[in-house]
Amino acid sequence: MTIADTVAALGARALRTRWLVRAPIRLYRAGLGFLFGSRLLMLEHLGRRTGARRYAVLEVVDRPAPGDYIIVSGFGGQAQWYRNIHAEPRVRVWTGHHRATPATATPLTGPQAAAALDNYIRAHPRAWKNLRAAIEHATGAPVETLPMVRLRLNTPGCTRP
């Protein structure tokens, strides 16, 4: 086993460790989301069956316009948050110093997702190498096939082209 394989296996294990993946949620809820910079955000969505508030901290893949965030479902279409936003696209977003900002979640088409992924690869080649290996090891699926979502903040200060 190579070092790259070991890193991918450790990353995949971390992605499947619930307490570790959920740990940043407490920091966001305490108003400390700015510690994660602009590459992560917390998504609040509603459970499709229960209507209960649910939270997921996700990596931002692209920022195509002010108030727009592109995120990827690292566990594909079976991720609970992804299934929930299909049932109810009205969500709230925590990022930086912004807390509980209303937003609308819209799944991207294949070409839109490919363009966002290309932007990410160019902007973060080293992170891409490690993240890709970890996600593919954890899911057994090529990253290029994973669904992406645009989060569009519903705030008056965010202008759209």
Side-chain angles (χ1 to χ4, degrees), residues 8-22 75 138:
L10 289 172
R13 188 174 197 182
L15 288 172
R16 290 188 304 252
T17 305
R18 184 174 172 84
W19 70 265
L20 185 61
V21 172
R22 299 196 54 78
F75 285 97

Side-chain angles (χ1 to χ4, degrees), residues 53-98:
R53 293 176 195 263
R54 305 287 185 209
Y55 301 89
V57 174
L58 304 160
E59 184 168 6
V60 175
V61 174
D62 197 9
R63 295 278 320 269
D68 282 4
Y69 298 86
I70 305 296
I71 55 176
V72 64
S73 179
F75 285 97
Q78 295 307 305
Q80 295 301 316
W81 73 263
Y82 186 75
R83 295 171 69 190
N84 288 341
I85 63 105
H86 274 282
E88 176 53 72
R90 292 175 296 178
V91 298
R92 295 194 311 173
V93 173
W94 276 254
T95 183
H97 291 288
H98 300 285

